[in-house]
Amino acid sequence: MNTTRMPVYFLSHGGGPWPYIEQMRSAYARTAQEFAALPGRLPAKPKAILVISGHWEAAGFTVSTAARPPMEYDYHGFPEHTYHLSYPAPGAPALAQQVRGLLEGAGLATATDAERGYDHGVFVPIGLMYPDADIPIVMLSMRADYDPAAHLRAGAALAPLRDEGVLIIGSGLTYHNMRGFGRDESTAVASSFESYLHTAISAENGATRQRMLLDWEQAPGARLAHPREDHLVPLMVVAGAAGDDPGRALFVDHVMKVPMASYEFGPAAGGQAA
């Protein structure tokens, strides 16, 4: 086993710029604590982070190439100060080209975007993990057709980066129905769907896991949990990069009457998640 291989993560990033709003941060106290502790689970500090956010999709897989990515305030109705936040982590143009090469080597067409900035699916979890903004970040878009097989293939193509000190993160939510948040009837829906995901993540081999993720629409409450699967698709990329590595729940927070789970695949220097 390569003991320096990075684990991979799917992180439920929560709603909007919540760490910067006192009332919301209180609601997400468990998530804030777990994200801050996550670097301690890694075998080493990452050389770079590759993140697939549920807030960026394009016609084809698209890679951010900016050396100094700007911010993307892709939310509405929040306090004015949240539209002036800054997370000045550098980009990594050389890694971006490597990502393109791996994807195209797997037969997946790619494009680049030199202007894409950090949306809250990026700067919220990574900002809590690394508040000094000292680790380079490359963003990879989802493909707008949401094809789970293509996203699993993309993850598998990117897996070699794990042996080069690159931390791969899928940032989304295990439940993302904007009309359902805060409603009593959503608790059972979200819990049933997360139970299906947990069974898939915990499967003994990657083939079983991937088969269950390919069939995610057959899960209980699937389309009630995800009317559009933009916040689920990052999990497909992460599962592809995980291969046959064991998966587990990192933690499950409960916010707005629904469970929001985050998952870990592979070795973790800090021990097993509770």
Side-chain angles (χ1 to χ4, degrees):
M1 176 186 294
N2 182 349
T3 58
T4 62
R5 173 175 291 176
M6 284 290 172
V8 292
Y9 291 91
F10 175 82
L11 302 179
S12 282
H13 61 242
W18 61 264
Y20 306 92
I21 302 170
E22 184 176 354
Q23 308 93 303
M24 293 187 71
R25 186 170 180 124
S26 297
Y28 286 97
R30 174 78 189 277
T31 296
Q33 178 184 18
E34 294 285 354
F35 285 176
L38 197 153
R41 301 184 65 82
L42 304 180
K45 187 173 182 178
K47 296 178 181 178
I49 297 174
L50 175 64
V51 58
I52 303 91
S53 168
H55 291 272
W56 187 25
E57 61 186 66
F61 290 112
T62 303
V63 185
S64 68
T65 58
R68 291 289 173 183
M71 300 291 286
E72 300 275 344
Y73 305 114
D74 59 337
Y75 39 78
H76 306 282
F78 289 93
E80 178 63 23
H81 75 271
T82 64
Y83 298 91
H84 303 279
L85 298 170
S86 176
Y87 187 70
L95 174 60
Q97 292 306 316
Q98 187 178 2
V99 168
R100 289 194 76 191
L102 290 170
L103 292 174
E104 293 187 352
L108 297 165
T110 68
T112 60
D113 188 330
E115 298 180 358
R116 178 69 189 183
Y118 298 141
D119 60 65
H120 73 268
V122 178
F123 73 78
V124 164
I126 299 177
L128 289 166
M129 292 166 59
Y130 295 104
D132 293 337
D134 58 349
I135 297 180
I137 298 172
V138 170
M139 294 164 282
L140 172 65
S141 79
M142 299 175 290
R143 209 169 74 178
D145 62 3
Y146 298 151
D147 178 13
H151 289 84
L152 285 163
R153 283 176 57 205
L158 297 169
L161 296 175
R162 297 175 57 195
D163 294 318
E164 299 179 22
V166 177
L167 177 63
I168 300 174
I169 293 174
S171 180
L173 284 164
T174 50
Y175 176 93
H176 193 249
N177 183 335
M178 299 304 291
R179 295 183 177 182
F181 285 118
R183 299 175 68 94
D184 291 338
E185 59 267 31
S186 298
T187 304
V189 170
S191 296
S192 294
F193 185 69
E194 198 284 315
S195 179
Y196 180 92
L197 291 181
H198 180 80
T199 299
I201 298 318
S202 305
E204 292 185 2
N205 59 72
T208 300
R209 176 190 300 147
Q210 293 191 20
R211 185 164 58 250
M212 291 186 68
L213 292 176
L214 285 170
D215 292 338
W216 73 271
E217 286 186 273
Q218 307 306 312
R223 277 299 176 189
L224 290 174
H226 290 277
R228 293 178 70 247
E229 58 265 42
D230 49 326
H231 277 60
L232 181 65
V233 166
L235 175 59
M236 310 299 178
V237 181
V238 166
D244 284 321
D245 278 357
R248 62 192 74 89
L250 180 65
F251 70 97
V252 182
D253 204 350
H254 293 82
V255 183
M256 298 182 70
K257 299 188 177 181
V258 298
M260 299 181 182
S262 294
Y263 306 118
E264 175 183 64
F265 302 83
Q272 299 296 305

